[in-house]
Amino acid sequence: SVMHMAGRNELNRNTSAHKRGKVQDMTQIRLGMIGYGFMGRAHTNAFKRVPDFFPELKYKPVLQAACGRNQDKVNAFAAQWGFASTETDWRKLLERDDIDAVDICAPNDRHKEIALAAIAQGKMVLCEKPLAMNTADGIEMAEAAEKAGVANTVWYNYRRIPAVMLAKHIVESGKLGRIYHYRANFLQDWCISEDVPQGGASNWRLNIAEAGSGVTGDLLAHCIDTALWLNGSIDKVTAMTETFVKQRVHVETGQLAPVGIDDACAFLCRFSNGSLGLFESSRYARGHKALYTFEINGANASIRWDLHDLHRLEYFDHGDESALRGWRSIHVSDHGGDHPYMGRWWVPGLQIGYEHSFVHQAADFMESLEKGQPCPPTFRDAVETQKVCEAVLNSAASEIWEKI
């Protein structure tokens, strides 16, 4: 429409500033969403909620364009979720002057190429995890983003669940004392049937060429990001992996093909602070759909968290009176600032869910633009997780300890 074009031209007065990745006098961050699957929906929902629940933020996300290879499907997605336009070629999306930020929700093997092209165009980049297929690619992406000075973040969303953010505050307060142990697991059971194929829109995570790894990059990457953030860097790892089903039908060929991903992975590690780590992930843990837990044991106190009760943080304090000592379950839903993000939502005692972790990250990204600060985890932060994932896979192959 004429109105739409006039609006677009008006918004484009600062195009040259956008080409440099800077935001000047602009209150709208016009988003190009690449991918419309599970994460495309989760991110779009997040951006739509930001102006409603974080109304004071200077920058507002605008759903400018959705991009996917299938024209009919991307049109339906855009119509349902409220995107102004569609593209079927991500390169055309990146050439557009009316796109300020690119959100990459494509499979892992596309992250690097799309991100580097977006950075070259001066676009801000939000990228799904894991950042890249390997450490070298991740470093290249981080260096490109830093050199160009473009805002960037990686969607390790679990950091921004209020109970997990509260765990961060407790760790930083020193209440736990010296840390001895960090243990985490991420268990699912959707791959047990040998009839589940590999490849295609639904099961690209089972295809080594698209995913890069199995549970290590898909699930353990979340556990590792949270662990590095809460407990500091990891020095070395020793790991084992297993592929239980060695061949699966490939969707594109209809033929049985070798399975290259890890179906399960367990590793031990030593953190730089002297604590010991124990991590396990599997897609063959019958009865578990998405059991993600972590526990930290310190000299004075311990904390543990479970995604299935994501609004609760369990806490044990040895300093309690001995007769009353025991694990307590903190319902992380209070207002007043003690419980991160919760004052944005309903009333004390009413919990929020999985999708809110993305809302919080989207809001934090908008706020970071206002403050001129990074929005962690940045590409550089995500490289540290990539290094651990790579060491884990290398150790599983070599059957020896690998230094990070």
Side-chain angles (χ1 to χ4, degrees):
S1 71
V2 175
M3 287 285 291
H4 182 236
M5 288 310 295
R8 179 176 291 185
N9 292 336
E10 191 174 311
L11 290 176
N12 258 347
R13 286 176 186 161
N14 294 300
T15 295
S16 60
H18 279 279
K19 289 242 164 77
R20 296 194 303 272
K22 303 226 172 34
V23 180
Q24 297 176 353
D25 309 325
M26 300 289 288
T27 58
Q28 292 190 322
I29 303 300
R30 296 162 298 177
L31 292 156
M33 178 78 63
I34 300 177
Y36 50 79
F38 175 23
M39 284 301 109
R41 293 164 60 223
H43 296 192
T44 302
N45 174 68
F47 290 123
K48 291 180 76 166
R49 298 282 72 76
V50 167
D52 297 332
F53 289 92
F54 295 78
E56 81 289 353
L57 291 178
K58 178 180 176 184
Y59 295 108
K60 314 286 185 193
V62 174
L63 304 180
Q64 195 75 351
C67 180
R69 288 170 294 182
N70 183 306
Q71 184 76 67
D72 290 341
K73 287 183 179 178
V74 75
N75 284 353
F77 175 79
Q80 179 181 342
W81 290 90
F83 283 87
S85 62
T86 61
E87 298 285 354
T88 55
D89 182 346
W90 60 263
R91 291 171 186 85
K92 287 185 179 174
L93 178 78
L94 299 188
E95 288 168 4
R96 286 173 52 166
D97 284 337
D98 64 338
I99 299 296
D100 305 311
V102 176
D103 191 354
I104 304 171
C105 297
N108 304 344
D109 63 327
R110 329 273 156 84
H111 290 185
K112 176 186 168 184
E113 186 184 9
I114 297 173
L116 291 178
I119 291 164
Q121 292 276 5
K123 313 291 191 193
M124 309 170 203
V125 186
L126 305 93
C127 187
E128 249 310 317
K129 44 60 60 184
L131 176 62
M133 295 285 274
N134 54 58
T135 301
D137 285 357
I139 290 171
E140 189 180 340
M141 294 163 71
E143 287 179 349
E146 288 162 2
K147 189 175 177 184
V150 297
N152 60 90
T153 195
V154 180
W155 292 92
Y156 283 111
N157 58 296
Y158 292 110
R159 290 188 182 199
R160 286 178 168 83
I161 286 176
V164 178
M165 188 65 79
L166 178 60
K168 173 72 167 172
H169 294 172
I170 292 170
V171 169
E172 287 185 338
S173 75
K175 284 186 174 68
L176 302 187
R178 179 184 170 188
I179 306 300
Y180 294 121
H181 294 284
Y182 189 106
R183 68 184 64 82
N185 61 19
F186 208 138
L187 306 178
Q188 300 180 336
D189 70 355
W190 61 279
C191 288
I192 292 176
S193 170
E194 295 186 14
D195 296 332
V196 176
Q198 59 177 314
S202 299
N203 290 328
W204 62 264
R205 287 177 179 82
L206 300 186
N207 180 14
I208 189 73
E210 293 180 278
S213 70
V215 295
T216 300
D218 186 28
L219 305 179
L220 281 176
H222 275 301
C223 302
I224 293 164
D225 174 76
T226 308
L228 296 175
W229 180 60
L230 291 176
N231 199 40
S233 59
I234 291 172
D235 288 340
K236 56 183 178 177
V237 303
T238 184
M240 64 175 178
T241 60
E242 183 55 63
T243 303
F244 294 114
V245 176
K246 309 294 186 191
Q247 291 185 308
R248 292 183 183 274
V249 171
H250 198 290
V251 168
E252 285 166 15
T253 65
Q255 303 296 311
L256 270 180
V259 175
I261 55 132
D262 44 303
D263 284 332
C265 176
F267 73 91
L268 305 172
C269 69
R270 290 187 178 274
F271 286 87
S272 302
N273 64 7
S275 62
L276 304 182
L278 174 62
F279 292 76
E280 181 196 14
S281 185
S282 177
R283 292 172 176 155
Y284 288 70
R286 179 63 82 198
H288 292 300
K289 303 304 178 189
L291 180 78
Y292 172 23
T293 69
F294 67 77
E295 180 171 332
I296 310 177
N297 303 129
N300 303 330
S302 291
I303 51 176
R304 67 186 179 203
W305 176 79
D306 179 346
L307 175 59
H308 286 168
D309 290 306
L310 57 80
H311 52 285
R312 292 190 177 274
L313 186 68
E314 294 189 70
Y315 181 73
F316 179 94
D317 191 340
H318 188 67
D320 288 346
E321 184 184 333
S322 60
L324 301 176
R325 203 178 284 147
W327 283 90
R328 73 185 74 155
S329 178
I330 303 164
H331 194 263
V332 185
S333 62
D334 214 351
H335 292 200
D338 285 342
H339 290 168
Y341 300 110
M342 287 308 303
R344 296 286 176 174
W345 298 101
W346 313 116
V347 296
L350 298 184
Q351 65 222 38
I352 58 174
Y354 168 78
E355 68 273 25
H356 297 80
S357 61
F358 295 96
V359 181
H360 299 154
Q361 185 155 353
D364 285 349
F365 184 79
M366 296 297 151
E367 186 179 27
S368 76
L369 301 178
E370 200 171 326
K371 293 185 172 178
Q373 296 171 342
C375 179
T378 61
F379 280 19
R380 181 63 64 181
D381 297 329
V383 166
E384 296 308 306
T385 293
Q386 205 79 45
K387 287 178 184 175
V388 178
C389 289
E390 195 160 291
V392 164
L393 293 170
N394 289 344
S395 171
S398 67
E399 298 190 345
I400 59 173
W401 282 87
E402 292 276 342
K403 290 187 176 173
I404 308 298

